[in-house]
Amino acid sequence: DTGVSQDPRHKITKRGQNVTFRCDPISEHNRLYWYRQTLGQGPEFLTYFQNEAQLEKSRLLSDRFSAERPKGSFSTLEIQRTEQGDSAMYLCASSPRPTSGPYNEQFFGPGTRLTVL
Amino acid sequence: QKEVEQNSGPLSVPEGAIASLNCTYSDRGSQSFFWYRQYSGKSPELIMFIYSNGDKEDGRFTAQLNKASQYVSLLIRDSQPSDSATYLCAAGLRGFQKLVFGTGTRLLVSP
């Protein structure tokens, strides 16, 4: 499978616990994104990496959230002291380096569904 | 006003008909537009993207962009029951990498 992969696919945790999600982008893609999606809503942007550099962060990304992409390959998203409002699908996407034009086609992984009890 | 707006639907069409899905955006800095299909419980799947005014066709799908009216649409010809899903419209802003999504339109294609 050469698509974006995410692990775990499901996570159930208790309020106050920390959780970490992993994303492996498509191998030749240097751009990686994290989004969050709740029921009935479209994905909401959280953060963007170009190679290992985190270049964009949403105001949604509170100080409890941190994302890394240490070697420009896989990325992790950590949520500390989880709250019930963090329950959502966390989606990772990747896109290739654009060769020309405003190309930014993003390909999503299967997502990690987080449930905070 | 949301940056990207879509009618939540559901839009119901019979099998074989043309489904027309619409999207408006508020930021004139938007320069790229994407349509994603999302089945229940699954992640979004990219169907088409469009950057220039006019039509872009790919198989049964046609994307239309009118920057003056800030309007994007997706036409699905010969709709099939397997096309039943939520269709998400997304816009990319000049100078940013993030995509801004609408809430999606649910399409139901009846046999």
Side-chain angles (χ1 to χ4, degrees), chain B residues 24-90:
Chain B
T24 58
Y25 61 95
S26 59
D27 194 325
R28 287 196 175 273
S30 303
Q31 60 177 2
S32 55
F33 304 88
F34 304 85
W35 284 99
Y36 286 84
R37 177 174 63 197
Q38 187 171 30
Y39 293 111
S40 180
K42 302 296 185 183
S43 63
E45 173 192 6
L46 181 63
I47 299 175
M48 289 195 69
F49 55 89
I50 187 167
Y51 306 107
S52 303
N53 271 329
D55 295 0
K56 179 181 179 183
E57 186 174 320
D58 184 1
R60 296 187 297 115
F61 299 96
T62 299
Q64 300 174 317
L65 173 60
N66 183 324
K67 290 185 178 180
S69 300
Q70 296 178 244
Y71 179 88
V72 193
S73 65
L74 179 71
L75 300 179
I76 306 175
R77 289 181 297 282
D78 188 24
S79 295
Q80 301 296 309
S82 58
D83 294 326
S84 297
T86 295
Y87 288 79
L88 296 163
C89 173

Side-chain angles (χ1 to χ4, degrees), chain A residues 31 33 35 37 40-43 45 48 56 89 91 102-110, chain B residues 2 31-32 34 36 38 41-44 46 49 51 88 95-99 101-103:
Chain A
R31 298 171 178 220
Y33 314 79
Y35 290 82
Q37 186 177 24
Q41 302 297 313
F45 172 78
Y48 155 67
E56 290 178 28
M89 174 81 87
L91 294 162
Y103 301 123
N104 190 23
E105 303 97 270
Q106 298 180 20
F107 300 90
F108 284 87
Chain B
K2 289 197 171 185
Q31 60 177 2
S32 55
F34 304 85
Y36 286 84
Q38 187 171 30
K42 302 296 185 183
S43 63
L46 181 63
F49 55 89
Y51 306 107
L88 296 163
F96 294 91
Q97 295 300 315
K98 70 175 185 180
L99 296 183
F101 284 83
T103 55

Side-chain angles (χ1 to χ4, degrees), chain A residues 11-21 36 38 59-65 78-90 113-117:
Chain A
K11 179 72 177 178
I12 299 174
T13 190
K14 292 182 179 179
R15 188 178 54 187
Q17 297 295 304
N18 299 343
V19 295
T20 300
F21 309 141
R36 179 174 66 186
T38 54
R59 286 169 292 178
L60 291 174
L61 213 64
S62 75
D63 56 4
R64 296 186 299 106
F65 288 71
E78 181 183 17
I79 309 174
Q80 296 182 327
R81 305 181 303 281
T82 53
E83 302 172 355
Q84 288 184 324
D86 296 331
S87 295
M89 174 81 87
Y90 288 83
R113 183 169 297 283
L114 173 66
T115 302
V116 182
L117 302 176

